[in-house]
Amino acid sequence: MAVQLTHLYGTPIRQRPTPPLTGRRTAISQVRAVAENAQELLKSGEVQAIRPKEAVTAIDSEGFRLLDIRPAWEWEKARVRGSVHVPLFVKDEDNGPIGLLKKWVHFGYIGLWTGQYLTTLNPDFIREVEAAVPDKNAKLLVACGEGLRSLVAVVKLYKEGYKNLGWLAGGFNRANESDFPAVEGPEKLQYATIGGVSYYFLQLLILLQAVGKNS
């Protein structure tokens, strides 16, 4: 799921509405800043990039705890047993006129095909992580579906004092079935981000592959 740009900045109260072009540039600059911060953390070694096939070793032998920051509907489909779940994004519950318009547009362009809800940043993300993992010296391997949202989470956590961080490079989507043997839920871990119409295309593709192998 792509990170929604409007979640990374807000319009101050009593400020005149930002012209669309200016707002778009501000959003892009915010995203660019997050990306640059994440890249610097990875380059400097402050955050360790860990591939899915290395994750179990990092958890079992190096003491990392897996922090799954995917939204609830992805986590319910498939999750690694024993992982800590704190969503970075939550379902947008704004049912005002603007909120409903955004949901309608989102559904038409994204939700119908991916099954993803319109989301907003979880305002309690850091507090919930602190409640689940109060020791900020703990080793946390931060993971999501594609590796993008987890980069945002890594930057946030690092700024809040978590210094022993790992990032699941490429996310669960890049994992093979053997990478995380202890998986719970009705779906395969690498397909948990897929929903909507895309899910049925995926099932058709899997069926055709199985038929091809049998024939």
Side-chain angles (χ1 to χ4, degrees):
M1 181 182 79
V3 176
Q4 297 182 31
L5 303 183
T6 54
H7 297 159
L8 301 181
Y9 72 103
T11 302
I13 298 175
R14 296 180 182 176
Q15 183 179 357
R16 291 182 178 179
T18 304
L21 183 58
T22 303
R24 193 176 302 116
R25 288 174 176 171
T26 302
I28 292 172
S29 65
Q30 292 285 342
V31 173
R32 184 180 293 117
V34 171
E36 290 175 352
N37 288 339
Q39 186 177 27
E40 183 59 33
L41 290 174
L42 291 168
K43 278 187 176 181
S44 66
E46 294 291 332
V47 172
Q48 182 179 351
I50 299 173
R51 293 177 295 177
K53 67 180 181 180
E54 302 166 343
V56 170
T57 299
I59 294 169
D60 293 343
S61 301
E62 299 178 30
F64 277 91
R65 295 185 68 182
L66 184 63
L67 175 61
D68 188 337
I69 59 91
R70 295 175 301 161
W73 51 91
E74 291 183 25
W75 181 84
E76 289 167 358
K77 289 181 181 179
R79 64 265 181 193
V80 177
R81 184 183 306 153
S83 59
V84 178
H85 178 239
V86 179
L88 178 64
F89 288 92
V90 294
K91 187 177 179 181
D92 191 336
E93 301 291 352
D94 179 10
N95 291 319
I98 300 300
L100 291 175
L101 177 61
K102 289 194 296 183
K103 289 179 182 180
W104 181 79
V105 173
H106 172 84
F107 178 78
Y109 283 93
I110 300 174
L112 175 64
W113 303 102
T114 67
Q116 294 286 351
Y117 296 103
L118 180 66
T119 60
T120 185
L121 274 171
N122 179 3
D124 298 320
F125 175 71
I126 294 297
R127 182 184 62 79
E128 291 176 4
V129 173
E130 290 173 338
V133 188
D135 181 8
K136 293 192 174 182
N137 291 317
K139 292 183 176 182
L140 292 178
L141 175 55
V142 187
C144 68
E146 298 174 345
L148 300 177
R149 294 166 292 183
S150 52
L151 278 179
V152 177
V154 160
V155 172
K156 285 180 169 291
L157 290 167
Y158 188 85
K159 289 180 178 179
E160 293 297 327
Y162 287 92
K163 303 301 182 182
N164 294 317
L165 297 172
W167 169 61
L168 188 68
F172 292 127
N173 289 9
R174 296 290 183 91
N176 295 317
E177 291 186 35
S178 59
D179 291 339
F180 295 95
V183 176
E184 300 174 332
E187 298 290 343
K188 293 183 178 181
L189 190 61
Q190 60 267 43
Y191 299 151
T193 59
I194 302 174
V197 174
S198 299
Y199 175 80
Y200 295 101
F201 279 117
L202 172 65
Q203 295 303 312
L204 178 60
L205 177 60
I206 292 173
L207 176 61
L208 292 174
Q209 289 177 336
V211 171
K213 287 181 180 179
N214 292 333
S215 60

